[in-house]
Amino acid sequence: MIALTLSGCSDDSAQADEWAKKVCDQVQPQVKKIQEANASINAASKEKNSSAEVKKTDAAAFEKISGAYKSLGDAVDKAGPPPVDDGDKLHADAVKELRGISTKYGQLRKTVDGLDTKDQAKFAEGLQGVATELDSLGKSGDKALSKLQSGDVGEAMANQKGCKRTGGSPGV
């Protein structure tokens, strides 16, 4: 009886590791894209760039982030439901949330593209609205991934190179 229980656990663990590897192999490149895009937004806002340069940088960054979240959603979708209770729901919710975040970043790009750079005050006001939305989206992205990274699947993901959280990101 104990042997059956132990072998059942190792099968679950092996399945969780296999699922986590499918997802995590795709996570790191996307996280790097998001970090690079965010760094370019921060740099553009700190430097004395023209409104047109800030607009161009932000729009490109939002496009990059949108693509990264879409790729994350696709990776989770392709991996299928994780081998846990409520795996189907967890899978569907994560894919929906990640793709929704991708869509929202695409909308932010359109918003930035539509900002008038000739009127500095209106441009700054428009950017303030974008910044508020960015804060909300960042929290949503963290929430979507943290739901996946809980329980047995979370342990399996934590052991995968692509899902390990790194300390500071030099050069990013």
Side-chain angles (χ1 to χ4, degrees):
M1 186 64 134
I2 293 174
L4 287 174
T5 304
L6 290 175
S7 67
C9 288
S10 65
D11 284 348
D12 287 350
S13 179
Q15 287 176 339
D17 286 343
E18 185 179 316
W19 183 89
K21 182 165 178 37
K22 287 179 193 175
V23 174
C24 292
D25 285 351
Q26 302 301 314
V27 166
Q28 198 58 43
Q30 303 315 319
V31 168
K32 186 174 183 195
K33 287 178 189 176
I34 292 167
Q35 290 171 336
E36 289 170 351
N38 283 326
S40 71
I41 291 168
N42 290 334
S45 67
K46 289 178 184 170
E47 297 170 6
K48 295 191 182 224
N49 291 331
S50 69
S51 296
E53 289 169 328
V54 170
K55 177 178 174 176
K56 181 180 176 185
T57 299
D58 287 2
F62 295 149
E63 186 69 23
K64 190 175 194 175
I65 295 170
S66 175
Y69 273 106
K70 182 184 181 312
S71 293
L72 286 170
D74 291 348
V76 172
D77 194 25
K78 187 176 179 183
V84 294
D85 291 341
D86 291 336
D88 289 334
K89 181 176 178 358
L90 183 66
H91 173 258
D93 289 351
V95 170
K96 180 181 176 185
E97 195 161 353
L98 290 167
R99 288 182 176 159
I101 293 167
S102 170
T103 299
K104 288 178 182 174
Y105 272 104
Q107 291 167 345
L108 273 182
R109 182 203 170 146
K110 289 177 185 174
T111 298
V112 168
D113 281 341
L115 293 177
D116 181 4
T117 57
K118 292 176 186 145
D119 183 332
Q120 189 68 33
K122 280 187 180 179
F123 182 72
E125 188 178 307
L127 280 183
Q128 186 59 45
V130 167
T132 301
E133 183 66 18
L134 270 178
D135 184 49
S136 166
L137 281 174
K139 290 175 184 168
S140 292
D142 291 344
K143 188 174 146 189
L145 293 174
S146 69
K147 285 179 189 174
L148 275 178
Q149 295 174 328
S150 61
D152 293 341
V153 171
E155 282 183 37
M157 290 176 83
N159 292 326
Q160 299 297 320
K161 183 180 176 188
C163 283
K164 287 188 181 186
R165 292 195 180 255
T166 55
S169 301
V172 179

PDB file of all heavy atoms in Angstrom, residues 7-27 75 79-84 148 150-164:
ATOM      1  N   SER A   7       4.569   5.721  -5.244  1.00  0.00           N
ATOM      2  CA  SER A   7       4.711   5.788  -6.699  1.00  0.00           C
ATOM      3  C   SER A   7       3.686   6.746  -7.290  1.00  0.00           C
ATOM      4  O   SER A   7       3.973   7.427  -8.269  1.00  0.00           O
ATOM      5  CB  SER A   7       4.602   4.400  -7.336  1.00  0.00           C
ATOM      6  OG  SER A   7       3.284   3.895  -7.184  1.00  0.00           O
ATOM      7  N   GLY A   8       2.518   6.834  -6.686  1.00  0.00           N
ATOM      8  CA  GLY A   8       1.510   7.789  -7.152  1.00  0.00           C
ATOM      9  C   GLY A   8       2.000   9.211  -6.977  1.00  0.00           C
ATOM     10  O   GLY A   8       1.842  10.053  -7.850  1.00  0.00           O
ATOM     11  N   CYS A   9       2.631   9.478  -5.860  1.00  0.00           N
ATOM     12  CA  CYS A   9       3.160  10.821  -5.615  1.00  0.00           C
ATOM     13  C   CYS A   9       4.261  11.166  -6.600  1.00  0.00           C
ATOM     14  O   CYS A   9       4.317  12.261  -7.118  1.00  0.00           O
ATOM     15  CB  CYS A   9       3.722  10.937  -4.195  1.00  0.00           C
ATOM     16  SG  CYS A   9       2.435  10.954  -2.934  1.00  0.00           S
ATOM     17  N   SER A  10       5.144  10.212  -6.863  1.00  0.00           N
ATOM     18  CA  SER A  10       6.233  10.520  -7.774  1.00  0.00           C
ATOM     19  C   SER A  10       5.707  10.725  -9.194  1.00  0.00           C
ATOM     20  O   SER A  10       6.238  11.534  -9.939  1.00  0.00           O
ATOM     21  CB  SER A  10       7.309   9.427  -7.737  1.00  0.00           C
ATOM     22  OG  SER A  10       6.785   8.213  -8.220  1.00  0.00           O
ATOM     23  N   ASP A  11       4.651  10.009  -9.567  1.00  0.00           N
ATOM     24  CA  ASP A  11       4.050  10.234 -10.877  1.00  0.00           C
ATOM     25  C   ASP A  11       3.478  11.645 -10.956  1.00  0.00           C
ATOM     26  O   ASP A  11       3.680  12.344 -11.949  1.00  0.00           O
ATOM     27  CB  ASP A  11       2.925   9.222 -11.155  1.00  0.00           C
ATOM     28  CG  ASP A  11       3.467   7.832 -11.519  1.00  0.00           C
ATOM     29  OD1 ASP A  11       4.683   7.727 -11.782  1.00  0.00           O
ATOM     30  OD2 ASP A  11       2.665   6.881 -11.534  1.00  0.00           O
ATOM     31  N   ASP A  12       2.776  12.063  -9.895  1.00  0.00           N
ATOM     32  CA  ASP A  12       2.216  13.418  -9.863  1.00  0.00           C
ATOM     33  C   ASP A  12       3.332  14.446  -9.936  1.00  0.00           C
ATOM     34  O   ASP A  12       3.230  15.429 -10.661  1.00  0.00           O
ATOM     35  CB  ASP A  12       1.392  13.633  -8.582  1.00  0.00           C
ATOM     36  CG  ASP A  12       0.064  12.881  -8.607  1.00  0.00           C
ATOM     37  OD1 ASP A  12      -0.310  12.361  -9.677  1.00  0.00           O
ATOM     38  OD2 ASP A  12      -0.584  12.818  -7.550  1.00  0.00           O
ATOM     39  N   SER A  13       4.386  14.200  -9.180  1.00  0.00           N
ATOM     40  CA  SER A  13       5.509  15.124  -9.158  1.00  0.00           C
ATOM     41  C   SER A  13       6.183  15.183 -10.534  1.00  0.00           C
ATOM     42  O   SER A  13       6.517  16.258 -11.018  1.00  0.00           O
ATOM     43  CB  SER A  13       6.511  14.679  -8.094  1.00  0.00           C
ATOM     44  OG  SER A  13       7.615  15.540  -8.082  1.00  0.00           O
ATOM     45  N   ALA A  14       6.357  14.034 -11.151  1.00  0.00           N
ATOM     46  CA  ALA A  14       6.979  13.987 -12.481  1.00  0.00           C
ATOM     47  C   ALA A  14       6.100  14.698 -13.507  1.00  0.00           C
ATOM     48  O   ALA A  14       6.602  15.430 -14.368  1.00  0.00           O
ATOM     49  CB  ALA A  14       7.228  12.540 -12.903  1.00  0.00           C
ATOM     50  N   GLN A  15       4.784  14.511 -13.401  1.00  0.00           N
ATOM     51  CA  GLN A  15       3.866  15.185 -14.320  1.00  0.00           C
ATOM     52  C   GLN A  15       3.907  16.700 -14.104  1.00  0.00           C
ATOM     53  O   GLN A  15       3.904  17.466 -15.062  1.00  0.00           O
ATOM     54  CB  GLN A  15       2.436  14.680 -14.131  1.00  0.00           C
ATOM     55  CG  GLN A  15       2.207  13.291 -14.673  1.00  0.00           C
ATOM     56  CD  GLN A  15       0.796  12.795 -14.380  1.00  0.00           C
ATOM     57  OE1 GLN A  15       0.118  13.272 -13.474  1.00  0.00           O
ATOM     58  NE2 GLN A  15       0.356  11.818 -15.162  1.00  0.00           N
ATOM     59  N   ALA A  16       3.962  17.102 -12.845  1.00  0.00           N
ATOM     60  CA  ALA A  16       4.039  18.538 -12.546  1.00  0.00           C
ATOM     61  C   ALA A  16       5.349  19.115 -13.075  1.00  0.00           C
ATOM     62  O   ALA A  16       5.364  20.203 -13.654  1.00  0.00           O
ATOM     63  CB  ALA A  16       3.912  18.776 -11.043  1.00  0.00           C
ATOM     64  N   ASP A  17       6.445  18.386 -12.911  1.00  0.00           N
ATOM     65  CA  ASP A  17       7.739  18.848 -13.425  1.00  0.00           C
ATOM     66  C   ASP A  17       7.713  18.966 -14.943  1.00  0.00           C
ATOM     67  O   ASP A  17       8.218  19.937 -15.505  1.00  0.00           O
ATOM     68  CB  ASP A  17       8.868  17.898 -13.015  1.00  0.00           C
ATOM     69  CG  ASP A  17       9.239  18.015 -11.545  1.00  0.00           C
ATOM     70  OD1 ASP A  17       8.874  19.028 -10.903  1.00  0.00           O
ATOM     71  OD2 ASP A  17       9.885  17.082 -11.030  1.00  0.00           O
ATOM     72  N   GLU A  18       7.119  17.985 -15.596  1.00  0.00           N
ATOM     73  CA  GLU A  18       7.034  18.003 -17.058  1.00  0.00           C
ATOM     74  C   GLU A  18       6.201  19.195 -17.537  1.00  0.00           C
ATOM     75  O   GLU A  18       6.570  19.905 -18.471  1.00  0.00           O
ATOM     76  CB  GLU A  18       6.407  16.691 -17.547  1.00  0.00           C
ATOM     77  CG  GLU A  18       6.382  16.542 -19.045  1.00  0.00           C
ATOM     78  CD  GLU A  18       5.773  15.208 -19.473  1.00  0.00           C
ATOM     79  OE1 GLU A  18       6.111  14.172 -18.855  1.00  0.00           O
ATOM     80  OE2 GLU A  18       4.961  15.222 -20.411  1.00  0.00           O
ATOM     81  N   TRP A  19       5.060  19.426 -16.875  1.00  0.00           N
ATOM     82  CA  TRP A  19       4.197  20.551 -17.231  1.00  0.00           C
ATOM     83  C   TRP A  19       4.948  21.870 -17.004  1.00  0.00           C
ATOM     84  O   TRP A  19       4.949  22.759 -17.857  1.00  0.00           O
ATOM     85  CB  TRP A  19       2.910  20.517 -16.399  1.00  0.00           C
ATOM     86  CG  TRP A  19       1.964  21.605 -16.785  1.00  0.00           C
ATOM     87  CD1 TRP A  19       1.002  21.560 -17.746  1.00  0.00           C
ATOM     88  CD2 TRP A  19       1.901  22.932 -16.236  1.00  0.00           C
ATOM     89  NE1 TRP A  19       0.348  22.769 -17.830  1.00  0.00           N
ATOM     90  CE2 TRP A  19       0.888  23.620 -16.912  1.00  0.00           C
ATOM     91  CE3 TRP A  19       2.609  23.591 -15.247  1.00  0.00           C
ATOM     92  CZ2 TRP A  19       0.551  24.944 -16.626  1.00  0.00           C
ATOM     93  CZ3 TRP A  19       2.290  24.920 -14.962  1.00  0.00           C
ATOM     94  CH2 TRP A  19       1.272  25.571 -15.650  1.00  0.00           C
ATOM     95  N   ALA A  20       5.600  21.989 -15.838  1.00  0.00           N
ATOM     96  CA  ALA A  20       6.323  23.213 -15.497  1.00  0.00           C
ATOM     97  C   ALA A  20       7.429  23.498 -16.510  1.00  0.00           C
ATOM     98  O   ALA A  20       7.638  24.654 -16.896  1.00  0.00           O
ATOM     99  CB  ALA A  20       6.908  23.107 -14.092  1.00  0.00           C
ATOM    100  N   LYS A  21       8.119  22.469 -16.962  1.00  0.00           N
ATOM    101  CA  LYS A  21       9.189  22.659 -17.934  1.00  0.00           C
ATOM    102  C   LYS A  21       8.631  23.234 -19.239  1.00  0.00           C
ATOM    103  O   LYS A  21       9.222  24.147 -19.821  1.00  0.00           O
ATOM    104  CB  LYS A  21       9.927  21.355 -18.196  1.00  0.00           C
ATOM    105  CG  LYS A  21      11.079  21.519 -19.173  1.00  0.00           C
ATOM    106  CD  LYS A  21      12.009  20.340 -19.155  1.00  0.00           C
ATOM    107  CE  LYS A  21      13.139  20.448 -20.132  1.00  0.00           C
ATOM    108  NZ  LYS A  21      13.742  21.740 -20.367  1.00  0.00           N
ATOM    109  N   LYS A  22       7.475  22.722 -19.673  1.00  0.00           N
ATOM    110  CA  LYS A  22       6.856  23.230 -20.914  1.00  0.00           C
ATOM    111  C   LYS A  22       6.584  24.730 -20.810  1.00  0.00           C
ATOM    112  O   LYS A  22       6.802  25.470 -21.760  1.00  0.00           O
ATOM    113  CB  LYS A  22       5.533  22.506 -21.199  1.00  0.00           C
ATOM    114  CG  LYS A  22       5.679  21.093 -21.663  1.00  0.00           C
ATOM    115  CD  LYS A  22       4.293  20.494 -21.879  1.00  0.00           C
ATOM    116  CE  LYS A  22       4.331  19.008 -22.055  1.00  0.00           C
ATOM    117  NZ  LYS A  22       2.988  18.433 -22.142  1.00  0.00           N
ATOM    118  N   VAL A  23       6.096  25.154 -19.659  1.00  0.00           N
ATOM    119  CA  VAL A  23       5.770  26.569 -19.466  1.00  0.00           C
ATOM    120  C   VAL A  23       7.037  27.391 -19.230  1.00  0.00           C
ATOM    121  O   VAL A  23       7.258  28.408 -19.887  1.00  0.00           O
ATOM    122  CB  VAL A  23       4.782  26.759 -18.291  1.00  0.00           C
ATOM    123  CG1 VAL A  23       4.560  28.232 -17.989  1.00  0.00           C
ATOM    124  CG2 VAL A  23       3.452  26.079 -18.612  1.00  0.00           C
ATOM    125  N   CYS A  24       7.865  26.929 -18.323  1.00  0.00           N
ATOM    126  CA  CYS A  24       9.024  27.727 -17.899  1.00  0.00           C
ATOM    127  C   CYS A  24      10.063  27.924 -18.999  1.00  0.00           C
ATOM    128  O   CYS A  24      10.758  28.942 -19.007  1.00  0.00           O
ATOM    129  CB  CYS A  24       9.660  27.108 -16.661  1.00  0.00           C
ATOM    130  SG  CYS A  24       8.589  27.225 -15.210  1.00  0.00           S
ATOM    131  N   ASP A  25      10.185  26.978 -19.900  1.00  0.00           N
ATOM    132  CA  ASP A  25      11.118  27.160 -21.014  1.00  0.00           C
ATOM    133  C   ASP A  25      10.747  28.381 -21.850  1.00  0.00           C
ATOM    134  O   ASP A  25      11.591  28.976 -22.507  1.00  0.00           O
ATOM    135  CB  ASP A  25      11.167  25.917 -21.912  1.00  0.00           C
ATOM    136  CG  ASP A  25      11.940  24.770 -21.284  1.00  0.00           C
ATOM    137  OD1 ASP A  25      12.589  24.967 -20.239  1.00  0.00           O
ATOM    138  OD2 ASP A  25      11.898  23.657 -21.853  1.00  0.00           O
ATOM    139  N   GLN A  26       9.465  28.757 -21.808  1.00  0.00           N
ATOM    140  CA  GLN A  26       8.989  29.903 -22.583  1.00  0.00           C
ATOM    141  C   GLN A  26       8.913  31.197 -21.768  1.00  0.00           C
ATOM    142  O   GLN A  26       8.793  32.272 -22.340  1.00  0.00           O
ATOM    143  CB  GLN A  26       7.584  29.593 -23.139  1.00  0.00           C
ATOM    144  CG  GLN A  26       7.528  28.364 -24.015  1.00  0.00           C
ATOM    145  CD  GLN A  26       8.455  28.466 -25.208  1.00  0.00           C
ATOM    146  OE1 GLN A  26       8.496  29.478 -25.890  1.00  0.00           O
ATOM    147  NE2 GLN A  26       9.225  27.416 -25.448  1.00  0.00           N
ATOM    148  N   VAL A  27       8.966  31.085 -20.452  1.00  0.00           N
ATOM    149  CA  VAL A  27       8.759  32.249 -19.589  1.00  0.00           C
ATOM    150  C   VAL A  27       9.928  33.234 -19.637  1.00  0.00           C
ATOM    151  O   VAL A  27       9.726  34.429 -19.839  1.00  0.00           O
ATOM    152  CB  VAL A  27       8.478  31.817 -18.128  1.00  0.00           C
ATOM    153  CG1 VAL A  27       8.593  32.989 -17.169  1.00  0.00           C
ATOM    154  CG2 VAL A  27       7.097  31.199 -18.038  1.00  0.00           C
ATOM    155  N   ALA A  75       2.061  29.895 -24.317  1.00  0.00           N
ATOM    156  CA  ALA A  75       2.872  28.843 -23.697  1.00  0.00           C
ATOM    157  C   ALA A  75       2.057  28.056 -22.672  1.00  0.00           C
ATOM    158  O   ALA A  75       2.109  26.821 -22.636  1.00  0.00           O
ATOM    159  CB  ALA A  75       4.111  29.447 -23.035  1.00  0.00           C
ATOM    160  N   ALA A  79       0.847  24.135 -23.058  1.00  0.00           N
ATOM    161  CA  ALA A  79       1.214  23.161 -22.024  1.00  0.00           C
ATOM    162  C   ALA A  79      -0.005  22.388 -21.535  1.00  0.00           C
ATOM    163  O   ALA A  79       0.117  21.270 -21.040  1.00  0.00           O
ATOM    164  CB  ALA A  79       1.889  23.864 -20.847  1.00  0.00           C
ATOM    165  N   GLY A  80      -1.200  22.980 -21.695  1.00  0.00           N
ATOM    166  CA  GLY A  80      -2.422  22.322 -21.236  1.00  0.00           C
ATOM    167  C   GLY A  80      -2.617  22.516 -19.747  1.00  0.00           C
ATOM    168  O   GLY A  80      -1.815  23.162 -19.082  1.00  0.00           O
ATOM    169  N   PRO A  81      -3.686  21.941 -19.213  1.00  0.00           N
ATOM    170  CA  PRO A  81      -3.966  22.088 -17.782  1.00  0.00           C
ATOM    171  C   PRO A  81      -2.879  21.437 -16.926  1.00  0.00           C
ATOM    172  O   PRO A  81      -2.393  20.356 -17.263  1.00  0.00           O
ATOM    173  CB  PRO A  81      -5.292  21.356 -17.587  1.00  0.00           C
ATOM    174  CG  PRO A  81      -5.893  21.289 -18.952  1.00  0.00           C
ATOM    175  CD  PRO A  81      -4.750  21.223 -19.908  1.00  0.00           C
ATOM    176  N   PRO A  82      -2.474  22.087 -15.848  1.00  0.00           N
ATOM    177  CA  PRO A  82      -1.499  21.466 -14.954  1.00  0.00           C
ATOM    178  C   PRO A  82      -2.132  20.262 -14.253  1.00  0.00           C
ATOM    179  O   PRO A  82      -3.347  20.224 -14.061  1.00  0.00           O
ATOM    180  CB  PRO A  82      -1.157  22.573 -13.959  1.00  0.00           C
ATOM    181  CG  PRO A  82      -2.305  23.513 -14.006  1.00  0.00           C
ATOM    182  CD  PRO A  82      -2.890  23.405 -15.375  1.00  0.00           C
ATOM    183  N   PRO A  83      -1.310  19.283 -13.875  1.00  0.00           N
ATOM    184  CA  PRO A  83      -1.827  18.051 -13.266  1.00  0.00           C
ATOM    185  C   PRO A  83      -2.157  18.226 -11.779  1.00  0.00           C
ATOM    186  O   PRO A  83      -1.522  17.625 -10.912  1.00  0.00           O
ATOM    187  CB  PRO A  83      -0.680  17.056 -13.478  1.00  0.00           C
ATOM    188  CG  PRO A  83       0.549  17.918 -13.444  1.00  0.00           C
ATOM    189  CD  PRO A  83       0.139  19.213 -14.079  1.00  0.00           C
ATOM    190  N   VAL A  84      -3.141  19.091 -11.511  1.00  0.00           N
ATOM    191  CA  VAL A  84      -3.582  19.340 -10.135  1.00  0.00           C
ATOM    192  C   VAL A  84      -5.105  19.409 -10.115  1.00  0.00           C
ATOM    193  O   VAL A  84      -5.739  19.525 -11.168  1.00  0.00           O
ATOM    194  CB  VAL A  84      -3.006  20.672  -9.586  1.00  0.00           C
ATOM    195  CG1 VAL A  84      -1.493  20.606  -9.452  1.00  0.00           C
ATOM    196  CG2 VAL A  84      -3.407  21.852 -10.447  1.00  0.00           C
ATOM    197  N   LEU A 148      -0.654  30.510 -11.035  1.00  0.00           N
ATOM    198  CA  LEU A 148      -0.049  29.304 -11.602  1.00  0.00           C
ATOM    199  C   LEU A 148       1.059  28.770 -10.707  1.00  0.00           C
ATOM    200  O   LEU A 148       1.291  27.576 -10.647  1.00  0.00           O
ATOM    201  CB  LEU A 148       0.564  29.611 -12.971  1.00  0.00           C
ATOM    202  CG  LEU A 148      -0.336  29.565 -14.172  1.00  0.00           C
ATOM    203  CD1 LEU A 148       0.448  29.935 -15.412  1.00  0.00           C
ATOM    204  CD2 LEU A 148      -0.985  28.209 -14.351  1.00  0.00           C
ATOM    205  N   SER A 150       1.479  28.304  -7.598  1.00  0.00           N
ATOM    206  CA  SER A 150       1.116  27.932  -6.241  1.00  0.00           C
ATOM    207  C   SER A 150       1.001  26.408  -6.149  1.00  0.00           C
ATOM    208  O   SER A 150       0.875  25.726  -7.153  1.00  0.00           O
ATOM    209  CB  SER A 150      -0.203  28.597  -5.839  1.00  0.00           C
ATOM    210  OG  SER A 150      -1.245  28.170  -6.688  1.00  0.00           O
ATOM    211  N   GLY A 151       1.061  25.892  -4.937  1.00  0.00           N
ATOM    212  CA  GLY A 151       0.894  24.464  -4.705  1.00  0.00           C
ATOM    213  C   GLY A 151       1.980  23.624  -5.357  1.00  0.00           C
ATOM    214  O   GLY A 151       3.116  24.062  -5.539  1.00  0.00           O
ATOM    215  N   ASP A 152       1.629  22.381  -5.714  1.00  0.00           N
ATOM    216  CA  ASP A 152       2.582  21.432  -6.289  1.00  0.00           C
ATOM    217  C   ASP A 152       3.165  21.928  -7.604  1.00  0.00           C
ATOM    218  O   ASP A 152       4.350  21.763  -7.881  1.00  0.00           O
ATOM    219  CB  ASP A 152       1.920  20.064  -6.512  1.00  0.00           C
ATOM    220  CG  ASP A 152       1.561  19.382  -5.202  1.00  0.00           C
ATOM    221  OD1 ASP A 152       2.128  19.759  -4.151  1.00  0.00           O
ATOM    222  OD2 ASP A 152       0.710  18.469  -5.230  1.00  0.00           O
ATOM    223  N   VAL A 153       2.316  22.528  -8.422  1.00  0.00           N
ATOM    224  CA  VAL A 153       2.788  23.037  -9.708  1.00  0.00           C
ATOM    225  C   VAL A 153       3.765  24.184  -9.473  1.00  0.00           C
ATOM    226  O   VAL A 153       4.780  24.298 -10.158  1.00  0.00           O
ATOM    227  CB  VAL A 153       1.606  23.491 -10.597  1.00  0.00           C
ATOM    228  CG1 VAL A 153       2.093  24.220 -11.826  1.00  0.00           C
ATOM    229  CG2 VAL A 153       0.787  22.284 -11.009  1.00  0.00           C
ATOM    230  N   GLY A 154       3.483  25.007  -8.483  1.00  0.00           N
ATOM    231  CA  GLY A 154       4.387  26.112  -8.153  1.00  0.00           C
ATOM    232  C   GLY A 154       5.752  25.616  -7.728  1.00  0.00           C
ATOM    233  O   GLY A 154       6.783  26.178  -8.110  1.00  0.00           O
ATOM    234  N   GLU A 155       5.768  24.532  -6.945  1.00  0.00           N
ATOM    235  CA  GLU A 155       7.044  23.937  -6.541  1.00  0.00           C
ATOM    236  C   GLU A 155       7.800  23.443  -7.759  1.00  0.00           C
ATOM    237  O   GLU A 155       9.004  23.651  -7.885  1.00  0.00           O
ATOM    238  CB  GLU A 155       6.811  22.767  -5.574  1.00  0.00           C
ATOM    239  CG  GLU A 155       6.508  23.194  -4.167  1.00  0.00           C
ATOM    240  CD  GLU A 155       6.365  22.005  -3.228  1.00  0.00           C
ATOM    241  OE1 GLU A 155       7.111  21.015  -3.401  1.00  0.00           O
ATOM    242  OE2 GLU A 155       5.508  22.070  -2.346  1.00  0.00           O
ATOM    243  N   ALA A 156       7.091  22.789  -8.662  1.00  0.00           N
ATOM    244  CA  ALA A 156       7.725  22.277  -9.881  1.00  0.00           C
ATOM    245  C   ALA A 156       8.254  23.431 -10.730  1.00  0.00           C
ATOM    246  O   ALA A 156       9.354  23.357 -11.283  1.00  0.00           O
ATOM    247  CB  ALA A 156       6.735  21.430 -10.680  1.00  0.00           C
ATOM    248  N   MET A 157       7.483  24.515 -10.810  1.00  0.00           N
ATOM    249  CA  MET A 157       7.906  25.675 -11.597  1.00  0.00           C
ATOM    250  C   MET A 157       9.131  26.338 -10.960  1.00  0.00           C
ATOM    251  O   MET A 157      10.046  26.769 -11.665  1.00  0.00           O
ATOM    252  CB  MET A 157       6.762  26.678 -11.744  1.00  0.00           C
ATOM    253  CG  MET A 157       5.648  26.164 -12.643  1.00  0.00           C
ATOM    254  SD  MET A 157       4.257  27.289 -12.744  1.00  0.00           S
ATOM    255  CE  MET A 157       4.861  28.424 -14.008  1.00  0.00           C
ATOM    256  N   ALA A 158       9.158  26.407  -9.636  1.00  0.00           N
ATOM    257  CA  ALA A 158      10.277  27.043  -8.936  1.00  0.00           C
ATOM    258  C   ALA A 158      11.589  26.307  -9.199  1.00  0.00           C
ATOM    259  O   ALA A 158      12.663  26.897  -9.118  1.00  0.00           O
ATOM    260  CB  ALA A 158       9.996  27.099  -7.438  1.00  0.00           C
ATOM    261  N   ASN A 159      11.493  25.025  -9.526  1.00  0.00           N
ATOM    262  CA  ASN A 159      12.693  24.234  -9.795  1.00  0.00           C
ATOM    263  C   ASN A 159      13.177  24.346 -11.241  1.00  0.00           C
ATOM    264  O   ASN A 159      14.233  23.828 -11.578  1.00  0.00           O
ATOM    265  CB  ASN A 159      12.434  22.755  -9.466  1.00  0.00           C
ATOM    266  CG  ASN A 159      12.264  22.537  -7.979  1.00  0.00           C
ATOM    267  OD1 ASN A 159      12.891  23.214  -7.172  1.00  0.00           O
ATOM    268  ND2 ASN A 159      11.418  21.597  -7.610  1.00  0.00           N
ATOM    269  N   GLN A 160      12.396  24.987 -12.075  1.00  0.00           N
ATOM    270  CA  GLN A 160      12.764  25.125 -13.491  1.00  0.00           C
ATOM    271  C   GLN A 160      13.582  26.396 -13.690  1.00  0.00           C
ATOM    272  O   GLN A 160      13.218  27.461 -13.197  1.00  0.00           O
ATOM    273  CB  GLN A 160      11.511  25.175 -14.378  1.00  0.00           C
ATOM    274  CG  GLN A 160      10.657  23.932 -14.308  1.00  0.00           C
ATOM    275  CD  GLN A 160      11.374  22.700 -14.812  1.00  0.00           C
ATOM    276  OE1 GLN A 160      12.098  22.740 -15.794  1.00  0.00           O
ATOM    277  NE2 GLN A 160      11.184  21.598 -14.112  1.00  0.00           N
ATOM    278  N   LYS A 161      14.641  26.300 -14.447  1.00  0.00           N
ATOM    279  CA  LYS A 161      15.538  27.429 -14.684  1.00  0.00           C
ATOM    280  C   LYS A 161      14.781  28.660 -15.210  1.00  0.00           C
ATOM    281  O   LYS A 161      14.998  29.769 -14.752  1.00  0.00           O
ATOM    282  CB  LYS A 161      16.625  27.018 -15.679  1.00  0.00           C
ATOM    283  CG  LYS A 161      17.642  28.084 -15.937  1.00  0.00           C
ATOM    284  CD  LYS A 161      18.692  27.614 -16.920  1.00  0.00           C
ATOM    285  CE  LYS A 161      19.647  28.758 -17.235  1.00  0.00           C
ATOM    286  NZ  LYS A 161      20.566  28.422 -18.305  1.00  0.00           N
ATOM    287  N   GLY A 162      13.898  28.472 -16.160  1.00  0.00           N
ATOM    288  CA  GLY A 162      13.193  29.589 -16.787  1.00  0.00           C
ATOM    289  C   GLY A 162      12.213  30.301 -15.879  1.00  0.00           C
ATOM    290  O   GLY A 162      11.795  31.410 -16.178  1.00  0.00           O
ATOM    291  N   CYS A 163      11.826  29.678 -14.771  1.00  0.00           N
ATOM    292  CA  CYS A 163      10.864  30.300 -13.864  1.00  0.00           C
ATOM    293  C   CYS A 163      11.490  30.808 -12.576  1.00  0.00           C
ATOM    294  O   CYS A 163      10.809  31.397 -11.744  1.00  0.00           O
ATOM    295  CB  CYS A 163       9.744  29.320 -13.517  1.00  0.00           C
ATOM    296  SG  CYS A 163       8.537  29.128 -14.826  1.00  0.00           S
ATOM    297  N   LYS A 164      12.783  30.587 -12.402  1.00  0.00           N
ATOM    298  CA  LYS A 164      13.437  31.057 -11.175  1.00  0.00           C
ATOM    299  C   LYS A 164      13.507  32.559 -11.212  1.00  0.00           C
ATOM    300  O   LYS A 164      13.882  33.154 -12.210  1.00  0.00           O
ATOM    301  CB  LYS A 164      14.836  30.456 -11.043  1.00  0.00           C
ATOM    302  CG  LYS A 164      14.785  28.994 -10.676  1.00  0.00           C
ATOM    303  CD  LYS A 164      16.149  28.452 -10.357  1.00  0.00           C
ATOM    304  CE  LYS A 164      15.961  26.975 -10.025  1.00  0.00           C
ATOM    305  NZ  LYS A 164      17.124  26.330  -9.560  1.00  0.00           N
TER     306      LYS A 164
END
